[in-house]
Amino acid sequence: MKHVRTLLVAGLAVAALQACSKHEEHPAMAMGGQAGAAMHTQDMTMPCKVSNVWVRSAGPELKTSAAYLTLEPFVDGNLVGVISDAAGVAEIHSMTMDGDVMRMRKVDSVPLKKGMEFDFKPNDYHIMLMDLKGPLTVGQTVNLQLFIETAAGEKLEIPVKATVADQPPMASMAH
Ligand SMILES: [Cu+2]
């Protein structure tokens, strides 16, 4: 099971490279990683605005954590995958009440509507980080790559930097 998931992630990574090279003519996309993430809240060449990004801290005894963020898409499409440098596996999860029990489920994609904010937040949709490569300490930075397929069929990669924290950032609490 774990092996199959690893292959899936490797497949996504290949897709990411293709998305990257496809957009090399875009200065903002070509800069990739760090520069792209630094301007993630302002850059209108990006297919969405990303805010309230954080990753829950995890001690060395934990192998899982979760990333949370708010997406405001500028186009219709789907979030179809996530990878992270901090985790061997990253999955999109929903969380629902099943009687008195909270249950997490892996979902293949999340529909994005232009101009409609979509929240990944505690006890709700989240980016599950599994097979953590090490402890996640408060203040540490984690890189995420979001994969979006637009309604027009474009495959886009969004680099996001997340700060590790114990609780949501202030902006999120006022939201
Ligand atoms: Cu989960």
Side-chain angles (χ1 to χ4, degrees):
M1 192 59 181
K2 189 171 281 182
H3 188 59
V4 172
R5 280 181 175 163
T6 306
L7 286 175
L8 178 65
V9 169
L12 282 171
V14 171
L17 287 172
Q18 288 165 351
C20 244
S21 58
K22 182 168 174 254
H23 284 272
E24 255 163 27
E25 72 274 16
H26 259 297
M29 296 293 272
M31 277 189 280
Q34 305 200 340
M39 59 180 76
H40 66 258
T41 54
Q42 299 297 330
D43 183 2
M44 294 301 284
T45 66
M46 299 297 265
C48 65
K49 175 181 163 185
V50 183
S51 55
N52 300 336
V53 190
W54 65 289
V55 168
R56 189 178 295 283
S57 61
E61 74 284 5
L62 291 177
K63 280 292 161 202
T64 62
S65 182
Y68 307 99
L69 51 92
T70 300
L71 284 180
E72 187 186 334
F74 302 140
V75 292
D76 290 340
N78 288 285
L79 177 69
V80 295
V82 180
I83 58 172
S84 171
D85 62 352
V89 176
E91 292 180 349
I92 304 165
H93 279 194
S94 67
M95 197 178 264
T96 49
M97 288 300 287
D98 183 359
D100 292 336
V101 184
M102 292 284 265
R103 289 197 193 280
M104 299 194 298
R105 283 190 187 83
K106 182 184 182 223
V107 295
D108 291 331
S109 67
V110 162
L112 301 174
K113 284 274 165 228
K114 182 180 177 180
M116 288 257 296
E117 286 190 353
F118 191 100
D119 284 326
F120 292 85
K121 56 181 193 281
N123 300 326
D124 202 329
Y125 279 91
H126 56 277
I127 310 297
M128 196 79 195
L129 303 177
M130 291 170 284
D131 294 344
L132 290 180
K133 294 176 182 174
L136 298 174
T137 317
V138 172
Q140 186 183 335
T141 299
V142 168
N143 290 299
L144 304 167
Q145 309 277 340
L146 311 182
F147 300 100
I148 290 177
E149 272 183 32
T150 68
E154 264 192 305
K155 294 185 197 309
L156 305 170
E157 178 199 354
I158 321 289
V160 175
K161 278 197 181 308
T163 303
V164 175
D166 286 330
Q167 56 186 13
M170 293 306 283
S172 164
M173 291 160 79
H175 190 66

